């Protein structure tokens, strides 16, 4: 039997490539060349599956791809893709849940600690040689984390891992806002489901973990920021557009909230003249939630398994609901 053919828009680790090549012929895009939509369309025309991490796909892209059965992304978030549009052309979309949950939760806790205790900001201060005998102790104060209230917007699997760390490690009280109730999180960690406004008003640390959809775009804007405590920290581990960045910049400039710690942005990479770069009360990381070697390799392998299964006409394990 002829092997199916897949298109790989991304480099993958050697063992992942060897797994793919056992089951499929492949074409690997030269990562030094940007892949335009026209080139991608052309590449997809003759293949059975594609790995498109960091790209996107909709009905228009796949409408003339008669063999294409699956598009796989090595990410858990799939906001760049239109699962319904792909399904209309019988193309499955797969993603990589589960394998990154603990790693992302680790990073989120890093952001929480950096934002509250001003670690990134004061690190810059020390490096710039500004720590001197004249430095007042008061100017170095941050906010406590232990026994404070953590509010999580979007209580999915990663939210739950953050809650575990918050409760077991830092004895925090947990509020959450989510479409559905999470009984096991309530029972295990004493988490309380509340309205968005209550969460914003009562939390010391507000963490965003919702997927980006039409409903969550600019979920946090001027009005929502105004409801937060002046001592509170906003942490975004979801997607940049969940926050209205201009409103956040204003709130940070006017010290309406204590600070923000952000791993995701409306525009990535962050432009080098972005106002965030001139603010002291932000911790900024370059979208590294899942960026450890072990986790990225696990994601690449899971994406490859989904790709191969779909290209062979089998049912992949992580199909995104259309
Ligand atoms: C994910 O997997 O969705 C990460 O945020 C990387 O995009």
């Amino acid at each position: 039997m002829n092997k199916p053919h897949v298109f790989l828009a991304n480099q993958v680790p050697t063992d992942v490539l060897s797994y793919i090549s056992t089951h499929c012929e492949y074409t690997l895009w030269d990562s030094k060349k940007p892949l335009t939509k026209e080139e991608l369309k052309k590449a997809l025309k003759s293949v059975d599956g594609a790995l498109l991490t960091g790209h996107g796909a909709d009905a228009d892209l796949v409408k003339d791809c008669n063999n294409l059965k699956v598009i796989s992304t090595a990410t858990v978030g799939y906001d760049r893709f239109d699962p319904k549009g792909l399904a209309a052309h019988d193309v499955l979309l797969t993603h990589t849940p589960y394998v990154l949950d603990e790693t992302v939760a680790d990073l989120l806790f890093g952001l929480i600690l950096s934002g509250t205790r001003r670690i990134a900001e004061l690190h810059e201060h020390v490096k710039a040689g500004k720590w001197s005998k004249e430095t007042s102790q008061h100017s170095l104060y941050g906010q406590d984390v232990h026994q404070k209230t953590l509010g999580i917007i979007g209580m999915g699997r990663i939210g739950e891992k953050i809650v575990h760390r918050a409760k077991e490690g830092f004895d925090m009280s947990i509020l959450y806002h989510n479409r559905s109730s999470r009984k096991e999180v309530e029972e295990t960690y004493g988490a309380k489901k509340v309205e968005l406004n209550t969460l914003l008003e009562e939390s010391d640390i507000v963490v965003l973990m919702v997927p980006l959809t039409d409903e969550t775009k600019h979920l946090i804007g001027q009005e929502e920021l105004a409801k937060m405590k002046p001592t509170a920290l906003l942490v975004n581990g979801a997607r940049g557009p969940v926050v209205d960045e201009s409103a956040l910049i204003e709130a940070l400039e006017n010290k309406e909230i204590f600070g923000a710690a952000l791993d995701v942005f409306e525009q990535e990479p962050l432009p080098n003249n972005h106002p965030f770069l001139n603010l002291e009360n932000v911790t900024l990381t370059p979208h590294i939630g899942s960026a450890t070697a072990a986790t990225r390799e696990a994601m690449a392998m899971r994406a490859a398994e989904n790709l191969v299964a779909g290209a062979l006409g089998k049912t992949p394990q992580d199909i995104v609901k259309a």
Side-chain angles (χ1 to χ4, degrees):
M1 195 182 94
N2 283 346
K3 286 180 181 177
H5 195 138
V6 295
F7 174 73
L8 311 176
N10 317 94
Q11 295 282 352
V12 294
T14 319
D15 57 333
V16 175
L17 194 58
S18 125
Y19 168 77
I20 293 173
S21 66
T22 307
H23 301 280
C24 305
E25 304 294 340
Y26 66 85
T27 304
L28 176 61
W29 184 255
D30 174 357
S31 62
K32 285 183 218 80
K33 283 201 322 215
L35 179 57
T36 64
K37 186 159 181 191
E38 283 321 303
E39 280 162 330
L40 183 53
K41 256 189 176 171
K42 203 164 136 211
L44 295 185
K45 271 222 169 102
S46 55
V47 295
D48 301 277
L51 177 67
L52 297 186
T53 311
H55 296 270
D58 56 11
D60 177 55
L61 185 78
V62 303
K63 66 176 192 271
D64 300 321
C65 304
N66 298 331
N67 298 336
L68 192 65
K69 298 175 200 57
V70 63
I71 289 180
S72 169
T73 173
T75 55
V76 67
Y78 48 84
D79 41 281
R80 290 164 178 255
F81 298 87
D82 172 11
K84 274 202 175 60
L86 298 178
H89 295 279
D90 295 322
V91 177
L92 296 173
L93 176 67
T94 66
H95 67 146
T96 56
Y98 308 105
V99 285
L100 74 178
D101 298 350
E102 299 282 3
T103 299
V104 177
D106 287 347
L107 193 266
L108 265 290
F109 238 90
L111 291 175
I112 291 172
L113 291 170
S114 176
T116 50
R117 298 300 303 272
R118 303 168 56 202
I119 296 172
E121 176 194 346
L122 295 175
H123 164 89
E124 289 298 329
H125 181 87
V126 174
K127 281 193 117 179
K130 292 185 187 159
W131 185 28
S132 70
K133 291 219 157 49
E134 282 70 50
T135 305
S136 79
Q137 279 304 307
H138 188 264
S139 70
L140 306 176
Y141 289 176
Q143 303 290 337
D144 277 322
V145 176
H146 65 276
Q147 294 168 355
K148 294 286 182 176
T149 298
L150 177 70
I152 303 216
I153 304 177
M155 183 61 83
R157 286 180 308 271
I158 300 174
E160 204 177 317
K161 304 288 183 198
I162 298 169
V163 168
H164 176 77
R165 285 156 175 75
K167 193 74 197 173
E168 301 297 326
F170 293 83
D171 194 20
M172 299 179 84
S173 303
I174 315 291
L175 300 178
Y176 76 100
H177 180 69
N178 201 50
R179 267 194 305 211
S180 52
S181 295
R182 299 292 314 275
K183 288 291 167 231
E184 59 307 345
V185 185
E186 293 180 10
E187 278 157 25
T188 313
Y189 303 108
K192 235 172 92 186
K193 183 168 185 268
V194 292
E195 290 304 317
L196 181 60
N197 285 348
T198 311
L199 184 144
L200 294 168
E201 283 160 13
E202 295 184 8
S203 299
D204 298 297
I205 295 154
V206 174
V207 173
L208 298 169
M209 286 312 302
V210 280
L212 175 62
T213 62
D214 290 343
E215 291 81 55
T216 61
K217 180 153 194 257
H218 286 189
L219 180 69
I220 302 299
Q222 198 181 25
E223 249 180 66
E224 290 72 27
L225 289 161
K227 296 204 162 84
M228 288 175 64
K229 299 180 186 180
T231 49
L233 176 77
L234 179 72
V235 182
N236 191 0
R239 285 292 184 262
V242 172
V243 176
D244 175 351
E245 279 183 2
S246 346
L248 177 59
I249 289 160
E250 212 176 299
L252 290 168
E253 278 172 352
N254 299 333
K255 307 261 170 16
E256 287 161 28
I257 61 172
F258 183 72
L262 311 168
D263 186 44
V264 289
F265 305 90
E266 293 202 87
Q267 192 185 335
E268 295 180 5
L270 203 55
N272 58 13
N273 60 352
H274 196 285
F276 280 149
L277 304 182
N278 298 321
L279 286 169
E280 289 190 332
N281 46 354
V282 284
T283 290
L284 307 170
T285 51
H287 201 146
I288 52 166
S290 61
T292 66
T295 293
R296 284 286 166 86
E297 275 168 31
M299 291 165 77
M301 188 50 102
R302 193 148 179 136
E305 287 165 5
N306 288 324
L307 174 69
V308 167
L312 289 170
K314 298 182 183 162
T315 308
Q317 57 189 338
D318 304 308
I319 300 175
V320 172
K321 260 205 214 127

